[in-house]
Amino acid sequence: MESSPDSMTSLTPSINSIREIINEIHEKHRTLNDGSLADYIPELTRANPEWFGIAVTTVDGRQYLVGETAIDFTIQSVSKPFIYGLALDSLGLEEVRKRIDVEPSGEAFNSISLKPSTGQPRNPMINAGAIAATGMIRAPDVETRFRIIMDRFSEFAGEALSIDDSVYRSESETGWRNRGIANLLRNFNIIEGDVDPILEAYFMQCAILVNSRNLSVMGATLANGGINPITGKRVLSPSTVEKVISVMSTCGMYDYSGNWAFEVGIPAKSGVGGGIIGVLPGQLSVAVFSPLLDENFNSVRGIATFRDLSNSLGLHLFNRPSLTDYVIRRSYTLNQFQSSRFRPRKAQEILQREGHRIRVFELQGDLYFGALERLIHAYLRTINENDRVLIDLTRIGGIDEATRTIIFKFARQAFEKGKRIVLVDPKQIFSAGERRSLIPMAFVYNDCDEALEDAEENLLAQYGARMEASVSYGLERMDLLRELGEAELKGLSELVRKRSFEEGQTIIEKGGEPNEVFFLAQGIVGVVLRKENTMAFKQVSSFSPGMSFGELGLLLNEPRTADVVAITEVTVFSLNRDQIERYRQLHPEGYRKILLNALHSMSERLLRANREVAALK
Ligand code: GLN
């Protein structure tokens, strides 16, 4: 068994259950000796009938390699889906379709299967269609044509491929049937200009050397929507990939295509060199190489292997479990879970009371039609209770064009009903242009906390309880000083120190002595954790005027656990340990009330934390 540099190095083969299954299948079919080597191209009879390799490449670029996956063989007809892709990219769908149909022929690969009226080859997976596709690559001569093909094939494989000259010559010397087909195509003007250079390029393209490992990378590039998963380079456009895989699924196995779809259910293509690739969109590609062929010119062990793999790994395309069941990861309203901003009691009470009007849908997985339909259904069930709905796309993987368009429509309809859709889109699924065009129907935020905070501000504004940036709170409005009598407040005001901080200034430093408590009079402060040795930081919570901070550390007498930073210009009243002690002596009753308030606020925070944990479960 071989392993490639980028295969699963962290898992030893013996504990990798997937590799073990592939191993077992390889072991099972190793002794299958039915079939014969293709001999109509004389050079192909040099193949060793024992060769047998299975290579799997996932769309993440992981590989499972079993058997002779490094033995080179000629790609032959496995080149057909790729050359069809290149023709589509070069001439466009309409032009190519005019010349090559997409109907299964139900005949052998080398049948003269042209539509009588137009001369169109039945499909691009038989020789007639493939020769036509080769003719559609724009090039002045054989060398250029073949160089373009070779370069693009190498991009599919993620490495420089080469040609088996003797197989090429062998086929060129004996390929009379293909010459006949090409001349007929010329007769119908399906190909233009000189027939011979096109035919030679076709023979060369069939003689490109691959092994099952790099063939599986070529297939994985199709499975991955046209981006090579190893190099990260786009080789084909997604719309072309869709068409290529479609014809593979209906025509890829010649007159075995129907049985193949029935039993294996993976779009595939075989070649007389003994290779078969299967492409499972969004998941992986399998390439099997074994040169003994059946009467349809498909690899015998290849078919047996695919049948077992499809079964054991559950790869049949039409036996898909619903991938959309879990699109809504969780759903909650603002009274159950809030932003990380701590707000004074009065604001907090409003959010508790009115928060049910803001709903959050946290999504996960891929957002395709089935998933979006579920979301819209869930949305409509609660629409009467909500003013604003946050759709959190943080954990969304893929989304297609159709779904995007439906989201736009959905946002517009909600807006027309007086509702508001807010998208949380940190991965920039929606481009800057799309975001602009969504306004005012929907807003897009990069961060869920920010979107929650904005929803809170909006709700508080409706109740006149919005924090005014310009207003300064006196000590009498501090949550922690509630119930203090006039004299008690006055006593405190004589001890506190009023201080200002500029935006960005650090008020409390992590690791510092816990010697002060702060009452926030104006502005916003953020509690931030900095990543060591970097400038990066994460804001874990923030405070509005009326709140105090620093009292926890002070009570516990623990070094500061995070930085507290002025997010805006900030004014605070601060009180240090000595001043607190003095206050305790002068106003024992006031001091007792402060402690009770602190206890109260901590209990409330704990309740809120419990509620939020429950909402997130
Ligand atoms: N070069 C071969 C031919 O044209 C390809 C056929 C195949 O692999 N099925 O005959």
Side-chain angles (χ1 to χ4, degrees), residues 40-41 76-80 83 100 105 107-114 120-135 171 175-182 185 190-191 198-199 202-203 205-206 251 254 269-272 297:
Y40 75 98
I41 302 174
Q76 299 300 341
S77 283
V78 185
S79 63
K80 287 169 181 168
I83 198 75
I100 309 174
S105 70
E107 290 173 80
F109 69 90
N110 57 2
S111 63
I112 305 176
S113 200
L114 309 181
Q120 277 173 301
R122 292 286 178 185
N123 68 66
M125 299 294 106
I126 54 172
N127 288 7
I131 295 169
T134 304
E171 183 167 13
W176 303 112
R177 193 177 174 94
N178 283 329
R179 288 213 161 76
I181 293 172
L185 292 173
I190 300 291
I191 54 178
I198 292 173
L199 202 55
Y202 168 78
F203 291 144
Q205 143 203 330
C206 288
C251 316
Y254 310 120
K269 187 70 202 82
S270 68
V272 294
F297 292 86

Side-chain angles (χ1 to χ4, degrees), residues 472-588:
S472 180
Y473 281 34
L475 284 178
E476 75 288 350
R477 290 178 72 182
M478 299 294 160
D479 271 9
L480 207 58
L481 305 179
R482 267 181 310 126
E483 317 274 329
L484 259 65
E486 220 167 290
E488 290 160 351
L489 267 176
K490 184 151 184 298
L492 192 69
S493 72
E494 283 159 6
L495 290 169
V496 295
R497 192 150 73 96
K498 187 171 182 173
R499 292 153 69 187
S500 295
F501 294 90
E502 278 165 32
E503 180 184 328
Q505 232 183 316
T506 301
I507 304 171
I508 288 180
E509 203 163 339
K510 184 177 170 185
E513 291 291 311
N515 282 334
E516 275 176 306
V517 60
F518 298 83
F519 299 97
L520 183 55
Q522 194 173 7
I524 303 290
V525 299
V527 179
V528 304
L529 289 174
R530 291 183 202 278
K531 288 228 175 82
E532 241 159 293
N533 302 327
T534 65
M535 295 293 285
F537 68 89
K538 185 174 157 52
Q539 181 173 317
V540 285
S541 59
S542 60
F543 291 92
S544 318
M547 309 298 295
S548 46
F549 56 95
E551 73 274 25
L552 276 183
L554 195 92
L555 282 167
L556 294 171
N557 203 12
E558 287 282 332
R560 299 301 192 187
T561 54
D563 288 348
V564 178
V565 176
I567 303 286
T568 60
E569 240 178 73
V570 157
T571 310
V572 296
F573 300 108
S574 71
L575 205 59
N576 66 24
R577 221 175 256 288
D578 296 342
Q579 291 161 331
I580 293 172
E581 183 52 27
R582 287 217 46 204
Y583 187 69
R584 191 175 71 93
Q585 286 162 8
L586 294 172
H587 297 276

Side-chain angles (χ1 to χ4, degrees), residues 163-412:
I163 178 173
D164 185 325
D165 235 14
S166 54
V167 172
Y168 154 59
R169 249 171 297 148
S170 180
E171 183 167 13
S172 175
E173 281 157 17
T174 56
W176 303 112
R177 193 177 174 94
N178 283 329
R179 288 213 161 76
I181 293 172
N183 279 299
L184 277 175
L185 292 173
R186 180 69 189 84
N187 174 62
F188 285 108
N189 288 321
I190 300 291
I191 54 178
E192 281 152 21
D194 266 357
V195 173
D196 280 343
I198 292 173
L199 202 55
E200 290 309 307
Y202 168 78
F203 291 144
M204 289 180 188
Q205 143 203 330
C206 288
I208 288 177
L209 282 168
V210 288
N211 55 41
S212 32
R213 184 179 53 77
N214 49 35
L215 201 54
S216 74
V217 178
M218 294 179 78
T221 301
L222 296 176
N224 195 33
I227 295 176
N228 182 313
I230 308 275
T231 64
K233 196 171 167 197
R234 174 165 292 288
V235 189
L236 272 192
S237 66
S239 57
T240 299
V241 169
E242 175 190 297
K243 302 303 174 215
V244 169
I245 299 178
S246 304
V247 292
M248 288 173 78
S249 74
T250 50
C251 316
M253 300 300 285
Y254 310 120
D255 33 358
Y256 191 68
S257 294
N259 275 289
W260 178 272
F262 197 79
E263 290 174 3
V264 179
I266 302 173
K269 187 70 202 82
S270 68
V272 294
I276 303 183
I277 56 164
V279 172
L280 199 58
Q283 295 198 55
L284 50 81
S285 170
V286 180
V288 180
F289 165 54
S290 170
L292 290 177
L293 310 180
D294 65 12
E295 66 282 7
N296 297 310
F297 292 86
N298 294 325
S299 164
V300 174
R301 289 181 195 165
I303 289 189
T305 299
F306 266 97
R307 222 181 259 149
D308 282 357
L309 271 179
S310 175
N311 251 314
S312 316
L313 305 182
L315 303 181
H316 199 294
L317 206 51
F318 298 135
N319 184 12
R320 299 255 64 83
S322 164
L323 299 172
T324 61
D325 271 7
Y326 303 104
V327 62
I328 300 176
R329 184 170 187 254
R330 54 172 76 122
S331 159
Y332 53 85
T333 49
L334 200 63
N335 51 335
Q336 295 171 289
F337 187 91
Q338 289 157 19
S339 76
S340 61
R341 167 77 52 90
F342 285 102
R343 298 172 190 279
R345 285 189 92 201
K346 195 175 146 227
Q348 195 55 40
E349 277 163 18
I350 295 171
L351 294 183
Q352 270 314 113
R353 201 178 63 232
E354 304 295 334
H356 63 273
R357 290 161 48 193
I358 316 285
R359 178 165 286 279
V360 180
F361 288 112
E362 229 181 85
L363 307 187
Q364 64 186 359
D366 291 332
L367 198 53
Y368 299 136
F369 175 76
L372 182 67
E373 193 275 337
R374 276 172 205 269
L375 170 68
I376 293 179
H377 175 69
Y379 172 75
L380 291 178
R381 263 203 329 236
T382 59
I383 188 167
N384 292 327
E385 297 139 42
N386 311 135
D387 299 341
R388 181 185 284 230
V389 166
L390 273 58
I391 299 176
D392 186 353
L393 304 170
T394 307
R395 292 178 186 78
I396 284 298
I399 178 169
D400 61 1
E401 273 318 302
T403 308
R404 267 169 209 276
T405 312
I406 302 173
I407 290 185
F408 270 61
K409 223 190 177 75
F410 167 54
R412 182 177 314 115

